[in-house]
Amino acid sequence: QVRLVESGGGLVQAGGSLRLSCAASGNIFSVNVMGWYRQAPGKQRELVASITSGSRTNYADSVKGRFTISRDNAKMVHLQMNSLKPEDTAVYYCNARSPLMYWGQGTQVTVSS
């Protein structure tokens, strides 16, 4: 079992920045990939960025060049979000795969125009 707790969401104006963090606990040594997903109202949950235990990263085309995922260790993963746009508004979820899927409770990011 893996527990994920997100922090760092909030309200920001377009062009601004936010940094999300996710703290993992439990059986973290079974986790291969950690990542961030988001879900906007009326839309499906989508992958934003992911990072493997070997630090290989993957980004959605819509956030490339603006967002950066990083990992301090097996317990913490961050998402630095720059040049935010109103279309980035969503609930952001931390995800861990072991290969079981684990989710955090989500944190709201709202970007005003």
Side-chain angles (χ1 to χ4, degrees):
Q1 189 78 7
V2 175
R3 182 169 180 257
L4 304 171
V5 179
E6 302 103 333
S7 60
L11 173 65
V12 65
Q13 287 189 331
S17 299
L18 282 174
R19 179 177 168 91
L20 304 182
S21 296
C22 175
S25 60
N27 190 19
I28 58 174
F29 297 105
S30 67
V31 173
N32 301 316
V33 183
M34 292 190 72
W36 291 93
Y37 286 69
R38 67 186 181 188
Q39 188 167 19
K43 294 189 176 181
Q44 289 189 329
R45 192 172 295 190
E46 62 176 359
L47 175 67
V48 176
S50 64
I51 185 166
T52 69
S53 55
S55 297
R56 183 173 298 178
T57 59
N58 181 49
Y59 295 94
D61 287 343
S62 59
V63 306
K64 282 181 181 176
R66 300 188 297 122
F67 291 10
T68 303
I69 190 169
S70 62
R71 197 166 176 173
D72 288 347
N73 46 48
K75 296 182 179 181
M76 291 291 296
V77 65
H78 309 281
L79 185 68
Q80 178 66 42
M81 305 185 294
N82 298 328
S83 302
L84 282 160
K85 304 176 181 180
E87 51 263 44
D88 294 318
T89 295
V91 178
Y92 284 69
Y93 296 91
C94 182
N95 168 266
R97 281 177 266 168
S98 72
L100 294 176
M101 296 280 277
Y102 298 95
W103 297 95
Q105 81 284 358
T107 185
Q108 178 70 46
V109 171
T110 303
V111 184
S112 62
S113 57

